[in-house]
């Protein structure tokens, strides 16, 4: 793959605004910086921001380790930076960090219609273990199921 100069930095509460801005660019229902700040009050939460070569934040990942399980709470890459390996880098970062912090599993939920994320997670060995009916509300108000996926670390 061509090196486009993306890099990941571990970030915390002080980056809540940047995390919120990138999140808002990735999902129709954005999370505020206050919501991101409150995540960091929980023990075991970690996050990473992906920057492009001009030091602009273009992607993020947010995870929460509870006992031996790491929950991938959210991840996204700005539309104009997709299909450039950033999602893969963020997932690699999350998996490596979770492993080094002692987690034995990573789990996540993904919208059943989200082909991009599904393909990425499956390619990294995540396997479906259950479905949550009507878990997500789409932009048009309809409901979509969540597929719960898990991977041993
Ligand atoms: C899912 C998402 C994070 C992927 O980020 P990305 O930077 O585009 O992903 P990458 O370029 O690293 O792609 C890695 C692999 O994922 C898969 N993939 C990514 N986008 C895909 C798409 N649109 N269709 C099919 N497969 C896709 C491919 O296997 C790809 O490998 P390849 O490029 O060698 O074929 C991005 O599409 C996104 O932010 N979507 C909106 C938010 C979201 O859905 N987050 C996940 C919620 S659980």
């Amino acid at each position: 793959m061509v090196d486009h100069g993306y890099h990941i930095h571990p970030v915390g509460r002080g980056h809540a605004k940047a995390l919120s801005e990138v999140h808002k660019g990735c999902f129709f229902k954005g999370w505020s910086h206050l919501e991101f700040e409150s995540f960091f009050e929980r023990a075991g939460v970690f996050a990473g921001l992906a920057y492009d070569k001009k030091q602009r934040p273009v992607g993020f990942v947010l995870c929460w380790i509870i006992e031996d399980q790491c929950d991938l709470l959210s991840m996204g890459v700005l539309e104009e930076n997709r299909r450039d390996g950033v999602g893969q880098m963020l997932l690699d970062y999350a998996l490596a960090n979770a492993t080094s912090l002692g987690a034995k599993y990573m789990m996540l939920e993904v919208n059943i219609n989200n082909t991009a994320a599904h393909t990425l997670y499956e390619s990294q060995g995540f396997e479906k273990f259950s479905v949550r009916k009507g878990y997500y509300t789409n932009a048009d108000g309809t409901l979509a199921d969540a597929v719960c996926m898990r991977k041993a670390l």
Side-chain angles (χ1 to χ4, degrees), residues 27 75-77 82-88 114 116-117 119-121:
F27 296 95
M75 181 172 103
V77 176
R82 287 182 194 161
R83 294 317 293 261
D84 222 1
V86 181
Q88 180 73 67
N114 189 342
T119 310
L120 172 60
Y121 299 139

